[in-house]
Amino acid sequence: MSRVWNFSAGPAALPLPVLERAQRELLDWNGSSASVMEQSHRGKRFIAMAQQVEANLRELMSIPDDYVVLFEQGGATQHFAQIPMNLAREGDSADYILTGHWSEKAASEAAPYVRVNVAASSKADSYLHMPPRETWKLDPSASYVHIASNETIHGVEFHQIPDVGNVPLVADMSSDILSGPIDVRRFGLIYAGAQKNIGPSGLVLMIIRRDLLERPTRPMAKIFRYAEQAANDSMLNTPNTWGWYLAGLTFEWLRDNGGLTAMAECNRQKAELLYATIDGSGGFYHNPIDPPVRSRMNVPFTLQDSRLDAAFLQESEAAGLMALKGHKALGGMRASLYNAVPPEAVQALVDFMRDFARRHS
Amino acid sequence: MSRVWNFSAGPAALPLPVLERAQRELLDWNGSSASVMEQSHRGKRFIAMAQQVEANLRELMSIPDDYVVLFEQGGATQHFAQIPMNLAREGDSADYILTGHWSEKAASEAAPYVRVNVAASSKADSYLHMPPRETWKLDPSASYVHIASNETIHGVEFHQIPDVGNVPLVADMSSDILSGPIDVRRFGLIYAGAQKNIGPSGLVLMIIRRDLLERPTRPMAKIFRYAEQAANDSMLNTPNTWGWYLAGLTFEWLRDNGGLTAMAECNRQKAELLYATIDGSGGFYHNPIDPPVRSRMNVPFTLQDSRLDAAFLQESEAAGLMALKGHKALGGMRASLYNAVPPEAVQALVDFMRDFARRHS
């Protein structure tokens, strides 16, 4: 069996030991003589696993007891809508900080449910910088402040958690959750699609300060209410059991590899190596993002001569470097360096990039 | 590796050849040298697979061209709400036929979005019969008529598609889809959680007559609009890629085993064998459902002496018969006989049941 180095933005690379274990256990999980996919989510075995997965995540992220953890469906996009449905009443407003494609999308999907106040935006600047905190026009009566902690397409990341006072901070962390330690207490709600740093697509992890579940809301089906999901341990209906299981394997892999502190250091080194290669290429490669807010997870870059794009993609694929094509909104290339992308992969990428530049300069 | 006979109501048994293929391909799918879970859903390989899966389903079910097929998330429960959000305007009404737990739940989750008219119900009768078609109080101006074609908990099933005139018939087929041929043209919308007859949980299959997508609706996020999902081939955001893939393997398995006609005959024989065993037990076992509407998929039964329940469960598990415990709403036992449960499994079950009855009579 051959494996490639996978730089996909998502669904993304999964840790090889996680995949190997899932493969071994696929037909006979946990002594049940059946697959984990064939287990009732109400059965003892599955419930015990689900509780352990949550306990392991709580330990990894030091999640305080007054936060609930949910394992939901629908992708982060569905929760762009469900968050205002749950945290705001009709007519309330919420502050959105626009720093790229995904925070923009979060605001537009929220608009049917809350008055969206764009408190800051770097759109006019093509999202190359972060709007400085002192320019944000926050409303102290907002239901919440929404940020995307890392922009998967535009490649900008909050390296410090912004202070937004007493209004709950809501963060879409789809593409940088678990990439390093964070102080959960600084947030009202954290959510993340699983398909970058957690597991397969079809699962959304949510961490919600418990008092926010008690907010008065609006008439809606039970299935959309986070309070109902919390009261039912994310099993108001059948959850994505395979995703939950895979997330659990990833959490164990993280724990066994030094936890989030070790992961942060590894991610810092990987990103530094790639940015140094881009910046040191004499202009052959280019990343336009303001250096202090460059993402450690998603590195978009262009070739000075875009006529070489096709050759770059073809040759990199032939060299076992998968999914380097940039998002269609920006063109060029993008390398995503999530937890499951090992340092060797980044070394192989920069070796290829230097060689490619030499051959085509 | 040992495997058990799995009678779980869902997540349920998957066909062994499907699991074996998923296991073989888990680390290296389709020549990509990466897992199917690690593929971008926008990549050529995944798109090609997704289209083939839909084509295979269309052939299996003879789905006419004026129906769209969607691969959604959230479980059938989320669509209890999303269906009225999409098919009715505020203030419109819809007719619900209550024949068990799930159609009742569908009506209650719909209530925030449509005026629910209970056009017929067998609740007063503990759902042991079907309300006869001639007693249904249908409203010709209803947005749609909703049924659950098979009740997973109560064990009643529509064996004929009811005629509801020109109002679109909407059917939750979660627990009997693909169990035999149906005439899709008789329906406006068919939906089914995957975790019984399709694949793992976290995927919902929908088949919608295209004209219904053009109905005027109400303000809501794009992610909830079926028309948007249809326009984006179910990829408005990242779909459950693993579920989609597994569903595809199941559809191929169905095709290679004679398609839905062969499946229907096999399911008929399995159900007949189990019901004959129950009815022929001299009262030791009992299924209370009106015989003409007994479900072929979910067979609830009780032991005359409920003090033997614990021994029945313990001994059956020891005999390699998994997940026979009944739903807590009804107690007793339940055997689910989905497509992936082979005749040998049902034979093993009835052999055990006869032996158990002999030993405990």
Side-chain angles (χ1 to χ4, degrees), chain A residues 31-219:
Chain A
S32 69
S33 301
S35 178
V36 67
M37 291 183 276
E38 300 176 301
Q39 310 285 327
S40 168
H41 57 297
R42 313 262 181 229
K44 276 180 211 155
R45 282 179 209 270
F46 190 84
I47 298 268
M49 181 210 75
Q51 289 172 343
Q52 188 61 51
V53 172
E54 180 178 331
N56 289 349
L57 178 71
R58 285 183 175 276
E59 194 178 331
L60 268 178
M61 293 184 68
S62 305
I63 300 173
D65 287 344
D66 57 332
Y67 285 70
V68 300
V69 173
L70 301 181
F71 292 83
E72 296 298 304
Q73 298 186 52
T77 302
Q78 180 173 317
H79 296 276
F80 293 165
Q82 247 180 278
I83 286 167
M85 284 161 67
N86 277 274
L87 297 194
R89 291 163 306 183
E90 284 182 60
D92 287 350
S93 77
D95 289 344
Y96 278 75
I97 312 301
L98 307 193
T99 56
H101 175 89
W102 288 106
S103 46
E104 216 182 300
K105 190 115 166 185
S108 89
E109 286 289 86
Y113 308 101
V114 72
R115 280 189 303 114
V116 169
N117 172 41
V118 176
S121 170
S122 47
K123 186 170 188 174
D125 176 41
S126 304
Y127 296 125
L128 300 181
H129 298 73
M130 281 280 186
R133 171 65 190 86
E134 59 274 19
T135 67
W136 296 11
K137 297 199 166 62
L138 296 179
D139 172 1
S141 68
S143 299
Y144 56 88
V145 180
H146 184 280
I147 61 170
S149 56
N150 181 67
E151 285 282 355
T152 320
I153 294 175
H154 285 88
V156 297
E157 186 176 13
F158 282 94
H159 296 298
Q160 280 87 37
I161 302 167
D163 182 359
V164 298
N166 289 324
V167 176
L169 182 60
V170 172
D172 174 2
M173 285 197 190
S174 294
S175 50
D176 67 352
I177 194 162
L178 298 172
S179 63
I182 55 161
D183 182 357
V184 172
R185 285 217 172 277
R186 303 283 306 278
F187 298 89
L189 188 156
I190 291 167
Y191 65 116
Q195 67 272 18
K196 290 125 185 344
N197 257 337
I198 298 173
S201 60
L203 183 78
V204 179
L205 184 67
M206 312 198 79
I207 302 165
I208 312 179
R209 212 176 64 211
R210 202 176 283 277
D211 64 290
L212 297 178
L213 297 177
E214 285 152 25
R215 287 194 169 183
T217 57
R218 65 191 78 203

Side-chain angles (χ1 to χ4, degrees), chain A residues 117-328:
Chain A
N117 172 41
V118 176
S121 170
S122 47
K123 186 170 188 174
D125 176 41
S126 304
Y127 296 125
L128 300 181
H129 298 73
M130 281 280 186
R133 171 65 190 86
E134 59 274 19
T135 67
W136 296 11
K137 297 199 166 62
L138 296 179
D139 172 1
S141 68
S143 299
Y144 56 88
V145 180
H146 184 280
I147 61 170
S149 56
N150 181 67
E151 285 282 355
T152 320
I153 294 175
H154 285 88
V156 297
E157 186 176 13
F158 282 94
H159 296 298
Q160 280 87 37
I161 302 167
D163 182 359
V164 298
N166 289 324
V167 176
L169 182 60
V170 172
D172 174 2
M173 285 197 190
S174 294
S175 50
D176 67 352
I177 194 162
L178 298 172
S179 63
I182 55 161
D183 182 357
V184 172
R185 285 217 172 277
R186 303 283 306 278
F187 298 89
L189 188 156
I190 291 167
Y191 65 116
Q195 67 272 18
K196 290 125 185 344
N197 257 337
I198 298 173
S201 60
L203 183 78
V204 179
L205 184 67
M206 312 198 79
I207 302 165
I208 312 179
R209 212 176 64 211
R210 202 176 283 277
D211 64 290
L212 297 178
L213 297 177
E214 285 152 25
R215 287 194 169 183
T217 57
R218 65 191 78 203
M220 61 177 137
K222 267 174 146 182
I223 193 74
F224 293 130
R225 283 190 197 281
Y226 296 143
E228 290 283 348
Q229 292 286 5
N232 288 277
D233 299 326
S234 308
M235 296 196 195
L236 190 57
N237 69 337
T238 314
N240 178 336
T241 56
W242 174 255
W244 200 322
Y245 158 73
L246 256 279
L249 298 189
T250 300
F251 301 160
E252 289 186 29
W253 174 79
L254 287 168
R255 181 195 63 199
D256 296 346
N257 284 274
L260 302 191
T261 306
M263 215 42 64
E265 178 56 20
C266 182
N267 285 326
R268 189 186 63 73
Q269 290 179 14
K270 282 153 48 185
E272 277 183 13
L273 176 60
L274 180 52
Y275 283 117
T277 303
I278 292 168
D279 294 344
S281 69
F284 190 91
Y285 302 111
H286 180 59
N287 169 283
I289 306 297
D290 187 24
V293 297
R294 282 171 163 181
S295 167
R296 296 158 307 141
M297 295 286 110
N298 309 97
V299 182
F301 61 94
T302 51
L303 277 62
Q304 190 167 39
D305 181 354
S306 64
R307 288 169 305 179
L308 291 173
D309 282 3
F312 184 93
L313 286 168
Q314 198 182 352
E315 292 182 28
S316 60
E317 197 171 322
L321 306 166
M322 174 178 155
L324 287 166
K325 191 173 181 183
H327 189 275
K328 61 182 188 290

Side-chain angles (χ1 to χ4, degrees), chain B residues 278 281 283-288 299-306 309 330-334:
Chain B
I278 293 168
S281 69
F284 190 91
Y285 301 110
H286 180 59
N287 169 284
V299 182
F301 62 94
T302 50
L303 276 62
Q304 190 166 40
D305 181 354
S306 63
D309 283 3
L330 295 186
M333 309 298 151
R334 174 173 50 169

Side-chain angles (χ1 to χ4, degrees), chain B residues 258-332:
Chain B
L260 303 192
T261 306
M263 216 41 67
E265 177 57 19
C266 181
N267 285 325
R268 187 185 63 74
Q269 289 179 15
K270 282 152 49 185
E272 277 182 13
L273 176 60
L274 180 52
Y275 283 117
T277 303
I278 293 168
D279 295 344
S281 69
F284 190 91
Y285 301 110
H286 180 59
N287 169 284
I289 307 297
D290 188 23
V293 297
R294 282 171 162 181
S295 166
R296 294 159 308 142
M297 294 288 108
N298 310 97
V299 182
F301 62 94
T302 50
L303 276 62
Q304 190 166 40
D305 181 354
S306 63
R307 289 169 303 179
L308 292 173
D309 283 3
F312 184 92
L313 286 168
Q314 198 183 353
E315 293 183 27
S316 59
E317 197 171 321
L321 305 166
M322 173 178 157
L324 286 166
K325 192 174 180 182
H327 189 275
K328 61 181 187 292
L330 295 186

Side-chain angles (χ1 to χ4, degrees), chain A residues 1-4 6 8 10-16 18-20 22-28 32-42 45 72-79 81-82 85 102 105 108-110 112-113 195-196 199-204 219-224 236-242 246 317 322-323 328, chain B residues 1-4 6 8 10-16 18-20 22-28 32-42 45 72-79 81-82 85 102 105 108-110 112-113 195-196 199-204 219-224 236-242 246 317 322-323 328:
Chain A
M1 184 209 65
S2 69
R3 292 266 303 167
V4 289
N6 184 357
S8 174
L14 290 165
L16 185 57
V18 164
L19 290 173
E20 287 172 336
Q23 184 178 44
R24 276 199 307 279
E25 299 180 346
L26 196 107
L27 290 168
D28 182 2
S32 69
S33 301
S35 178
V36 67
M37 291 183 276
E38 300 176 301
Q39 310 285 327
S40 168
H41 57 297
R42 313 262 181 229
R45 282 179 209 270
E72 296 298 304
Q73 298 186 52
T77 302
Q78 180 173 317
H79 296 276
Q82 247 180 278
M85 284 161 67
W102 288 106
K105 190 115 166 185
S108 89
E109 286 289 86
Y113 308 101
Q195 67 272 18
K196 290 125 185 344
S201 60
L203 183 78
V204 179
M220 61 177 137
K222 267 174 146 182
I223 193 74
F224 293 130
L236 190 57
N237 69 337
T238 314
N240 178 336
T241 56
W242 174 255
L246 256 279
E317 197 171 322
M322 174 178 155
K328 61 182 188 290
Chain B
M1 183 210 66
S2 70
R3 291 266 302 166
V4 288
N6 183 357
S8 174
L14 289 164
L16 184 58
V18 164
L19 290 173
E20 287 172 336
Q23 185 178 43
R24 276 197 307 278
E25 299 179 346
L26 196 108
L27 290 168
D28 182 2
S32 68
S33 302
S35 178
V36 67
M37 288 182 277
E38 299 175 303
Q39 311 285 328
S40 167
H41 57 296
R42 313 260 182 230
R45 281 179 211 271
E72 297 297 305
Q73 298 187 52
T77 302
Q78 181 172 316
H79 297 275
Q82 248 180 278
M85 284 161 69
W102 289 106
K105 190 115 167 184
S108 89
E109 286 289 85
Y113 308 102
Q195 66 272 17
K196 290 128 187 337
S201 59
L203 183 76
V204 180
M220 62 177 137
K222 267 176 146 181
I223 194 72
F224 292 131
L236 190 60
N237 70 336
T238 314
N240 178 337
T241 58
W242 173 256
L246 256 279
E317 197 171 321
M322 173 178 157
K328 61 181 187 292

